[in-house]
Amino acid sequence: MNTFYQNHETLPVIDEYDVIVTGGGMAGISAAVAASRLGVKVLLLERHIGLGGLATSGLIAYFLPICDGEGTIVSTGICQELYELAVQDSDKEGPFNKRSRSFGNEEGRYEVQFYPMNYQLSLSQYLHDNSVDRLYGVIASTPVIEEGTCVGLIVEQSEGRICYAATSYIDASGECSLFSRTGVETVAGSNTMSSWYYTSSSANPYELHSIGADAPTSFDLVERGNVKAYCGATSTDLTEFILDSENLIRNNENNTENQYRNIAILPSIAQLRTIRRIKGTSELTEDSINSPCNSSIGCVSDWMTCGKIFEVPAGILYSEQISNIIAAGRCVSATGYAYEILRCIPQACMTGQAAGTIAGLMVNNDMKSISDLSIVVLQDQLVRDGVKLHYL
């Protein structure tokens, strides 16, 4: 096989920030806003041209429950702010209001289906209002590591390769792109085929469809080997998922019952839920349900079952192998059923706020390593910012 040799490059450092966030999904947005509110200079990098990730470009436009199913909101802070923003971008006169679908509760829970394109614009304004710089159409390709610390981030853009520097970095990429390129231990995910898209017809001008594997049980189906699994961490696997998704939608629309409607919106990113996550200093497991956690960074609900709550430990956000990169959203350390719960919008917002708070506190206290930050200091700041740390 032929090989190519690439000459050593000297890359310019275009700008320096206090905190750089990779990924403009719900976790990245929450992280960037949390850090910015602590008075630090924040840059958010997004490889696509819109914010929201799977929630908007991926058309998975359900803000799942932020409550325990028994009337108590447990995911507060920025998560609740973004939930209320989603309510504003929902059909408030239609069936999807703030107590709509019911996972185990006939009266409904605090969740909402929103219009993804409206919400994308609202998220952009939200970032603007919170003084977060952003850069679209770029790929955060290579972290520059010196003695276990990230000192710069090489970014691929249409003009070529450049570099940004920061004190702290947040990996909210959904695929651990920063962590995996530092050599930190990561775990590959598994996804079943499930496609969401919108159609338009005279009877219903804007209808959302979800076809494929049943999401609440898909992780279990993969573990038992009952369905085809996709990881999505490689371009080959990603392409296979996209082609199979297109075939699934095409076959569904070729059904004679659907002949009088047109496809209105297809997802513009792959609808992969679990691509890759870190192996953190802590790991959230199913055994953590309804268990108190002294190092809690916030509470999240089991969106499939009422009355089940996770108090999430800080250690799922970082690895001892790298001092200043923090995970958020689907990059955090969790397994099995716990990860199935933790990968969704409210949970991404909660872990994002915690990651951004850690990054901001590190800057403001001139800390070089996450381990230098006291859990008490972190928790005190989260409480001041409206986060509910404990449920039990």
Side-chain angles (χ1 to χ4, degrees):
M1 180 181 292
N2 293 330
T3 60
F4 294 92
Y5 173 76
Q6 186 178 43
N7 291 330
H8 179 73
E9 293 180 280
T10 300
L11 298 176
V13 176
I14 297 299
D15 205 348
E16 295 185 9
Y17 281 82
D18 295 317
V19 176
I20 293 177
V21 180
T22 61
M26 301 303 291
I29 291 167
S30 301
V33 168
S36 182
R37 286 179 178 176
L38 292 176
V40 302
K41 184 181 177 184
V42 182
L43 174 65
L44 184 143
L45 302 174
E46 170 55 48
R47 64 180 173 181
H48 301 289
I49 61 169
L51 298 171
L54 282 174
T56 56
S57 300
L59 305 184
I60 304 177
Y62 278 104
F63 210 115
L64 288 170
I66 63 171
C67 64
D68 61 359
E70 299 169 355
T72 300
I73 293 176
V74 298
S75 296
T76 53
I78 288 176
C79 177
Q80 189 170 355
E81 290 178 21
L82 291 173
Y83 163 78
E84 291 170 354
L85 193 64
V87 170
Q88 295 174 22
D89 287 315
S90 67
D91 183 2
K92 292 185 285 294
E93 301 302 321
F96 302 114
N97 53 46
K98 69 176 182 177
R99 293 179 66 83
S100 55
R101 303 165 68 217
S102 57
F103 283 104
N105 185 340
E106 293 181 359
E107 296 181 358
R109 298 179 66 174
Y110 285 94
E111 59 184 337
V112 65
Q113 180 185 348
F114 51 85
Y115 292 130
M117 302 302 101
N118 292 9
Y119 197 44
Q120 189 174 86
L121 290 177
S122 296
L123 292 172
S124 181
Q125 185 64 47
Y126 184 74
L127 272 193
H128 173 78
D129 292 344
N130 283 279
S131 304
V132 175
D133 291 348
R134 72 191 90 164
L135 196 61
Y136 292 119
V138 297
I139 297 175
S141 64
T142 309
V144 181
I145 306 299
E146 293 181 0
E147 298 180 351
T149 297
C150 185
V151 296
L153 182 59
I154 297 174
V155 174
E156 305 277 355
Q157 58 177 11
S158 58
E159 302 95 317
R161 288 154 57 88
I162 57 174
C163 189
Y164 287 92
T167 299
S168 299
Y169 301 80
I170 297 172
D171 190 339
S173 63
E175 57 189 30
C176 280
S177 60
L178 290 191
F179 279 104
S180 65
R181 291 164 187 165
T182 66
V184 167
E185 183 179 2
T186 60
V187 181
S190 292
N191 300 268
T192 56
M193 175 50 62
S194 178
S195 296
W196 296 45
Y197 66 102
Y198 285 86
T199 60
S200 178
S201 67
S202 58
N204 192 335
Y206 195 68
E207 184 177 5
L208 176 63
H209 304 273
S210 173
I211 56 176
D214 182 30
T217 59
S218 60
F219 80 100
D220 190 43
L221 292 173
V222 168
E223 289 184 353
R224 296 201 305 265
N226 290 3
V227 296
K228 182 177 180 179
Y230 307 81
C231 173
T234 68
S235 56
T236 301
D237 198 44
L238 176 66
T239 300
E240 183 179 14
F241 179 87
I242 294 295
L243 293 176
D244 287 352
S245 176
E246 290 176 347
N247 285 332
L248 183 65
I249 294 171
R250 186 182 297 111
N251 291 336
N252 191 59
E253 290 306 303
N254 285 340
N255 187 310
T256 55
E257 297 177 0
N258 301 331
Q259 60 182 315
Y260 297 111
R261 71 186 188 201
N262 294 308
I263 296 175
I265 308 175
L266 290 173
S268 56
I269 63 172
Q271 296 168 324
L272 293 158
R273 274 69 161 188
T274 61
I275 301 175
R276 196 162 42 201
R277 60 188 183 272
I278 66 166
K279 190 75 172 176
T281 59
S282 299
E283 191 168 64
L284 194 70
T285 68
E286 188 173 358
D287 293 338
S288 304
I289 294 175
N290 292 339
S291 297
C293 176
N294 292 333
S295 64
S296 175
I297 52 171
C299 297
V300 294
S301 67
D302 181 334
W303 51 273
M304 291 183 270
T305 308
C306 292
K308 292 184 177 180
I309 304 298
F310 289 91
E311 293 186 6
V312 179
I316 72 167
L317 302 182
Y318 56 92
S319 166
E320 293 178 348
Q321 296 174 272
I322 192 79
S323 67
N324 63 336
I325 302 180
I326 310 154
R330 293 177 291 136
C331 297
V332 302
S333 181
T335 61
Y337 186 82
Y339 190 56
E340 187 71 10
I341 299 302
L342 211 56
R343 65 173 175 78
C344 299
I345 292 177
Q347 294 78 357
C349 296
M350 187 280 292
T351 57
Q353 180 170 2
T357 302
I358 291 172
L361 289 173
M362 287 177 64
V363 173
N364 288 338
N365 292 281
D366 197 26
M367 295 174 178
K368 304 302 181 185
S369 174
I370 300 165
S371 62
D372 295 335
L373 179 62
S374 161
I375 185 63
V376 174
V377 172
L378 172 60
Q379 290 177 324
D380 285 349
Q381 185 63 54
L382 288 169
V383 170
R384 284 195 293 271
D385 292 338
V387 174
K388 184 181 183 72
L389 295 179
H390 301 291
Y391 177 73
L392 301 171

